[in-house]
Amino acid sequence: EPEVTQTPSHQVTQMGQEVILRCVPISNHLYFYWYRQILGQKVEFLVSFYNNEISEKSEIFDDQFSVERPDGSNFTLKIRSTKLEDSAMYFCASSFNYEQFFGPGTRLTVL
Amino acid sequence: RKEVEQDPGPFNVPEGATVAFNCTYSNSASQSFFWYRQDCRKEPKLLMSVYSSGNEDGRFTAQLNRASQYISLLIRDSKLSDSATYLCVVYMDSNYQLIWGAGTKLIIKP
């Protein structure tokens, strides 16, 4: 069964550093998403991406965040200057229609 | 009022029992509804989509009441492996976003 994959599974970084989280969505899916979940809290929408551009973004997705689909398979989330409060689980998801399928997540720890 | 509200639980239920969760949503324009389950420190996994008045999949039954703006999930003959957090999710056609409830924690005890 096809699945969304994410790398790395765990990323530790120093405050102020840039990180890139990578995702490979399911191959025939058209819509791509990033979510985050702070430990013990609810899943929060960050951004959706369709047809090579951002279709929606939340208030969390400020100027320090960016997304790219550099080739036909990868979908990346870049955090330019990490803050302590960026520590969370970041999930990538993809969908063909309304049903979104999630990757296993990247745990980001900012020290 | 929160966009999607769920009882956080935890629901402590003996194995074999039937358990039901409710979820209410605030936006009457919402079109699509889902139940996801999430195990501790894992990704949410789609459990059921609820497109019309409801549907059934094995031990799981989801129902939608548009007039009252709530969705329910019923689990029959609960198993130990059903222990997880169950997330109610509403899809907003207007902005292609999933709006997530905070989840209901279920603990099945032997």
Side-chain angles (χ1 to χ4, degrees):
Chain A
E1 187 176 322
E3 56 185 22
V4 177
T5 60
Q6 289 186 245
T7 53
S9 57
H10 192 187
Q11 173 90 49
V12 181
T13 190
Q14 295 291 324
M15 192 170 58
Q17 294 296 304
E18 175 182 286
V19 294
I20 298 177
L21 310 183
R22 301 178 194 281
C23 168
V24 179
I26 294 172
S27 61
N28 65 336
H29 283 186
L30 304 174
Y31 303 89
F32 314 108
Y33 310 85
W34 282 101
Y35 293 87
R36 80 172 186 192
Q37 188 174 33
I38 295 169
L39 188 64
Q41 297 187 22
K42 63 192 289 186
V43 176
E44 297 175 291
F45 169 78
L46 292 178
V47 65
S48 58
F49 194 86
Y50 171 70
N51 202 25
N52 286 320
E53 60 183 22
I54 291 174
S55 48
E56 289 292 332
K57 58 183 180 179
S58 71
E59 291 176 354
I60 303 167
F61 194 88
D62 60 22
D63 291 344
Q64 69 163 342
F65 291 93
S66 62
V67 289
E68 261 195 331
R69 194 146 191 259
D71 51 43
S73 59
N74 290 286
F75 180 49
T76 62
L77 174 70
K78 183 191 288 186
I79 309 175
R80 260 180 274 281
S81 178
T82 50
K83 306 184 183 72
L84 295 176
E85 55 264 36
D86 292 329
S87 294
M89 195 76 163
Y90 287 81
F91 293 110
C92 171
S94 70
S95 70
F96 184 78
N97 48 24
Y98 304 131
E99 296 177 348
Q100 296 184 18
F101 295 88
F102 283 71
T106 293
R107 180 166 297 284
L108 177 65
T109 302
V110 182
L111 302 176
Chain B
R1 182 181 173 185
K2 291 180 187 173
E3 292 183 276
V4 179
E5 282 199 77
Q6 294 183 252
D7 182 339
F11 284 42
N12 290 282
V13 174
E15 193 177 5
T18 295
V19 60
F21 311 130
N22 284 331
C23 165
T24 57
Y25 60 95
S26 59
N27 192 325
S28 59
S30 304
Q31 293 296 315
S32 305
F33 309 89
F34 307 92
W35 284 101
Y36 279 76
R37 75 169 271 168
Q38 186 175 26
D39 293 286
C40 188
R41 296 177 180 261
K42 298 285 190 181
E43 74 273 25
K45 291 189 175 177
L46 181 63
L47 181 65
M48 295 183 76
S49 305
V50 190
Y51 288 116
S52 54
S53 60
N55 45 293
E56 187 173 314
D57 183 3
R59 297 183 295 110
F60 299 85
T61 301
Q63 290 197 311
L64 168 64
N65 185 319
R66 288 189 185 272
S68 302
Q69 293 181 212
Y70 79 80
I71 313 123
S72 64
L73 178 68
L74 184 79
I75 306 175
R76 287 180 296 278
D77 186 25
S78 51
K79 314 286 185 198
L80 295 176
S81 56
D82 294 334
S83 296
T85 296
Y86 289 83
L87 301 161
C88 173
V89 186
V90 174
Y91 182 76
M92 300 298 299
D93 292 341
S94 57
N95 58 11
Y96 313 109
Q97 281 192 38
L98 291 183
I99 309 297
W100 294 77
T104 298
K105 187 169 184 178
L106 173 65
I107 301 170
I108 305 296
K109 299 194 168 181

